[in-house]
């Protein structure tokens, strides 16, 4: 499947981004990826303002801040992040992913959510445990028990298809009609593991979802899945 580069797309920018989305050391590695997340989240919440924004793989909280900025404009539902953290090697890099990240993310997001008047909930467990144990229970909101439905799910945790495949299936099962699933780093390949990019594209076809892949500025590739064509939101190369 041919891919477009994010730098070539006329990505929309939702109005009203709060001041704390300035460039900081917590920001995602590339502003264009954040722009994709913001545009897709904004589009989905316009149609389903109470649906959940979900991020799997919170790291130090940078991309969650971008989603929180959109959530602030649609405060009728929560921003949910899922990450077990814990001291371990970070896949595909030489850094460690542990308690330092956890403390930084929790402190930053707690303050930002409070200041924005947004409900932010973090589950410190694996994504598959979240989808298996937590999401099916629904959640209480303004005195009502809601079923868990996703406006946007950003998958940026384990970059292997044995984990990403079940994550996509679980998110797709409760995806609102105009919702999106974004999978980061689909071009990453661990030795001996299943080809991620081809597997995500095949799974999208099996689930009857549209899948478009985009080249990010740092050489990574992101996949966007939905019941609609993401180019209707992200645009196409002029």
């Amino acid at each position: 499947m041919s891919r477009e580069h994010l730098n070539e797309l006329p990505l929309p920018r939702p109005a009203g981004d709060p001041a704390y989305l300035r460039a900081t050391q917590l920001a995602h590695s590339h502003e264009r990826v954040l722009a994709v997340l913001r545009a897709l989240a904004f589009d989905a919440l316009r149609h389903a303002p109470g649906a959940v924004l979900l991020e799997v793989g919170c790291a130090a909280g940078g991309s969650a801040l971008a989603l929180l900025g959109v959530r602030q404009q649609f405060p009728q539902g929560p921003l949910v992040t899922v990450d077990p953290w814990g001291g371990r090697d970070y896949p595909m890099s030489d850094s460690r992913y542990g308690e330092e990240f956890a403390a930084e993310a929790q402190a930053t997001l707690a303050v930002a959510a409070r200041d924005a008047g947004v409900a932010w909930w973090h589950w410190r467990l694996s994504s598959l445990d979240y989808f298996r144990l937590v999401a099916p229970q629904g959640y209480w909101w303004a005195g009502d028990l809601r079923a868990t439905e996703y406006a946007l799910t950003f998958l940026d945790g384990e970059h292997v298809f044995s984990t990403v495949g079940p994550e996509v299936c679980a998110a797709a099962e409760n995806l609102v009609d105009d919702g999106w699933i974004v999978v980061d780093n689909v071009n990453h390949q661990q030795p001996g593991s299943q080809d991620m990019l081809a597997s995500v594209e095949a799974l999208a076809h099996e689930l009857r979802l549209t899948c478009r892949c985009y080249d990010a500025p740092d050489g990574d590739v992101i996949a966007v899945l939905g019941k609609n064509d993401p180019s209707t939101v992200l645009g196409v190369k002029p």
Side-chain angles (χ1 to χ4, degrees):
M1 178 181 292
S2 62
R3 302 197 299 266
E4 292 186 283
H5 200 287
L6 293 183
N7 283 345
E8 299 174 335
L9 299 183
L11 296 175
R13 177 182 291 275
D17 279 350
Y20 58 75
L21 284 183
R22 63 191 182 282
T24 70
Q25 63 178 349
L26 289 176
H28 197 280
S29 57
H30 287 286
E31 174 62 23
R32 299 297 282 180
V33 176
L34 291 182
V36 166
L37 294 179
R38 289 199 298 264
L40 293 173
F42 187 88
D43 176 74
L45 291 175
R46 285 193 305 113
H47 300 283
V52 173
L53 294 182
L54 172 67
E55 179 180 62
V56 170
C58 193
S63 49
L65 279 177
L67 293 177
L68 193 149
V70 181
R71 182 84 271 178
Q72 184 180 16
Q73 300 173 64
F74 300 92
Q76 300 96 317
L79 167 65
V80 177
T81 55
V82 176
D83 199 316
W85 285 301
R88 65 186 189 278
D89 292 328
Y90 188 75
M92 311 299 175
S93 84
D94 296 327
S95 64
R96 295 285 292 175
Y97 189 103
E99 293 304 319
E100 184 177 345
F101 275 33
E104 192 167 8
Q106 291 180 93
T108 301
L109 289 169
V111 172
R114 180 201 64 198
D115 292 347
V118 167
W120 165 62
W121 306 332
H122 183 82
W123 292 92
R124 190 166 182 171
L125 71 174
S126 74
S127 61
L128 299 185
D129 280 344
Y130 165 79
F131 284 120
R132 180 173 62 92
L133 300 173
V134 178
Q137 305 304 317
Y139 59 96
W140 287 97
W141 187 273
D144 295 320
L145 181 61
R146 288 184 179 179
T148 303
E149 294 183 310
Y150 303 110
L152 179 134
T153 297
F154 180 41
L155 300 176
D156 192 20
E158 295 287 347
H159 301 303
V160 292
F161 188 73
S162 58
T163 298
V164 170
E167 289 176 341
V168 169
C169 289
E173 186 175 349
N174 295 293
L175 188 68
V176 300
D177 286 343
D178 294 285
W180 306 101
I181 300 169
V182 179
V183 186
D184 203 7
N185 308 121
V186 291
N187 57 321
H188 283 190
Q189 190 68 35
Q190 294 188 12
S193 65
Q194 192 170 348
D195 183 277
M196 174 84 100
L197 196 157
S199 298
V200 168
E201 291 179 333
L203 179 58
H205 179 76
E206 181 181 331
L207 296 172
R208 299 184 177 180
L209 298 175
T210 297
C211 177
R212 285 190 179 271
C213 295
Y214 299 90
D215 290 309
D218 62 353
D220 284 333
V221 179
I222 65 171
V224 181
L225 291 70
K227 299 176 184 179
N228 303 317
D229 188 334
S231 65
T232 59
V233 178
L234 302 179
V236 295
K237 181 179 177 180

